[in-house]
Amino acid sequence: MKPQFLILADRTDITRAVADRLLELVVTDEAGLSSDTLRLTLDDRRRADGAIAQLPKIGTELEVSLSYAGRSWVAMGKFIVDEIEISSPPATLTVSAKAADMVRPFRSPKTRSWEATTLGALVESIAAEHRYQAKIDPELGAIAIPHLDQTAESDMALLTRLAAAHDAVAKPVAGFLVLARRGAAKTITGKVLPTLRLEPEQLAQWRYQHSARKPAGTGIAQGEDGHSPPQVSFGGVKAYWWDFKQGERREVTVGEPPFEELRYVHATEAEAKAAAATRKNTGERGQGELSFSLPGDPRLAAEGRLSISLRPGIPTDWRITRVEHRLGRQGYTTQVECERFTASPVPVIDMQ
């Protein structure tokens, strides 16, 4: 099968103009607030008829789709050109673009305070400021925020901080500002991301890494005090909060013993529970990491879920955290990075 691409520049089809000069097209799709990117590398040599590649304008919106001849297009996203590089020899023109949803004001520092609100109301307010439509997980949206200072901090950084504290993702996706549980950011926008099933023979190369430094267990959390040794035991997480009415420190636990202990004392019981749950979930995901490459498949996307049986002892369920689609004169390949996924399974689709 022959891979093919489609590129629209400000809604005008420029595929044919690009095709005979394209050296490489790379689309990087990442989970979380990391900006998705597009890079086009073109042959910039002057042709016999004197023609040279046309320079794109900074700010041009590019829409990219990938597929194979005879198959339906799969949209890779919309990107805004933000950098152009010309070099020689060899004469090449490189166009770099970032996801169109990451508008500049969203990344600009602000100083303000939020009072007596909820996480959902905060996200809705920020979404309205940047002309996004808010899509919010109901449970996350109901989290109370009595007081919060945003000091010389961009809205993007603020949402990243708040989402991380609740094991969630806050990210602009296809015109929405999404607040969702990890692994559901694109699903909550209405985009269906079912579990995809791969067979080992479909992979060109793969690598699995298991780390005993990350799971929850007894001892001090790695990074909590900056000096603690890594822990290898498995179990739950214990966190503390200060009860101002009683004037004493209290504890909450998530999971079963042995417990990993978070030393930081939180202001409320809710914050302590969120910190413990986040640490436990993060630790479980970090126990295993999988990366692989295979012949290009545009259906693989960050936030998607993957099922694959490589060998006994290796987990089968994964959450995709990063995908790189690379199309060039050597063909089309896809590189994928995953972390463990431990939530309930969803309907499976074969990718054979």
Side-chain angles (χ1 to χ4, degrees):
M1 293 183 294
K2 182 179 179 180
Q4 55 185 9
F5 66 92
L6 173 68
I7 300 180
L8 304 181
D10 291 333
R11 301 186 180 182
T12 298
D13 190 342
I14 62 169
T15 307
R16 183 170 296 180
V18 170
D20 66 341
R21 288 187 177 271
L22 182 69
L23 298 176
E24 188 175 58
L25 179 157
V26 180
V27 174
T28 303
D29 180 19
E30 300 201 47
L33 265 173
S34 299
S35 182
D36 301 337
T37 61
L38 166 68
R39 187 177 75 249
L40 297 173
T41 304
L42 307 175
D43 183 348
D44 195 39
R45 291 177 295 179
R46 186 181 295 270
R47 299 292 172 83
D49 60 1
I52 59 175
Q54 183 176 352
L55 288 176
K57 296 180 180 178
I58 297 292
T60 299
E61 183 180 82
L62 301 177
E63 298 179 58
V64 178
S65 298
L66 297 176
S67 185
Y68 286 92
R71 292 189 175 182
S72 300
W73 291 109
V74 178
M76 296 289 105
K78 297 181 181 180
F79 306 86
I80 301 295
V81 175
D82 69 342
E83 184 177 287
I84 299 169
E85 179 183 313
I86 305 171
S87 61
S88 183
T92 56
L93 170 62
T94 302
V95 179
S96 299
K98 286 186 169 61
D101 291 303
M102 290 292 189
V103 294
R104 186 170 302 229
F106 190 58
R107 296 176 284 166
S108 301
K110 291 181 180 178
T111 296
R112 56 181 168 179
S113 294
W114 301 85
E115 302 286 350
T117 186
T118 63
L119 185 53
L122 184 151
V123 172
E124 287 178 349
S125 178
I126 291 177
E129 289 178 16
H130 300 289
R131 299 183 181 180
Y132 296 126
Q133 181 181 346
K135 289 281 188 176
I136 302 169
D137 178 283
E139 290 186 6
L140 292 172
I143 294 172
I145 299 180
H147 173 82
L148 177 67
D149 290 322
Q150 182 179 355
T151 306
E153 185 177 29
S154 69
D155 290 338
M156 180 175 76
L158 173 67
L159 292 178
T160 301
R161 174 163 63 92
L162 293 174
H166 298 282
D167 198 33
V169 172
K171 183 176 184 177
V173 178
F176 300 102
L177 181 56
V178 174
L179 176 68
R181 300 292 181 186
R182 288 188 178 273
K186 292 184 179 177
T187 305
I188 203 171
T189 67
K191 182 177 180 180
V192 178
L193 290 178
T195 298
L196 303 175
R197 178 182 291 143
L198 287 176
E199 300 299 331
E201 56 268 22
Q202 293 177 261
L203 309 187
Q205 187 178 41
W206 61 270
R207 177 175 178 268
Y208 167 72
Q209 183 177 10
H210 176 83
S211 174
R213 295 171 297 177
K214 298 178 182 177
T218 58
I220 305 302
Q222 180 79 11
E224 280 290 314
D225 61 1
H227 304 288
S228 304
Q231 303 298 319
V232 298
S233 54
F234 295 83
V237 178
K238 179 186 296 184
Y240 298 99
W241 63 283
W242 187 258
D243 187 337
F244 287 95
K245 290 184 178 180
Q246 300 297 324
E248 60 183 17
R249 188 182 72 167
R250 295 183 178 274
E251 67 179 45
V252 296
T253 59
V254 174
E256 301 297 328
F259 293 107
E260 173 182 334
E261 186 175 319
L262 306 182
R263 280 186 171 174
Y264 180 80
V265 179
H266 297 83
T268 66
E269 182 179 10
E271 289 182 13
K273 285 182 178 179
T278 297
R279 170 57 193 165
K280 185 175 186 298
N281 292 340
T282 301
E284 288 178 351
R285 288 193 297 267
Q287 290 175 30
E289 297 174 352
L290 174 68
S291 60
F292 60 87
S293 61
L294 74 168
D297 195 315
R299 293 175 294 178
L300 286 163
E303 296 284 350
R305 300 171 187 177
L306 178 69
S307 175
I308 183 169
S309 298
L310 293 168
R311 70 180 297 279
I314 295 181
T316 59
D317 297 320
W318 299 92
R319 169 182 174 256
I320 299 174
T321 58
R322 186 178 188 273
V323 178
E324 182 181 272
H325 297 281
R326 188 179 295 267
L327 175 63
R329 296 186 174 178
Q330 303 301 315
Y332 174 25
T333 60
T334 299
Q335 295 180 323
V336 182
E337 296 177 9
C338 307
E339 65 182 12
R340 284 194 64 187
F341 182 77
T342 57
S344 301
V346 294
V348 171
I349 288 181
D350 285 329
M351 292 185 61
Q352 300 180 50

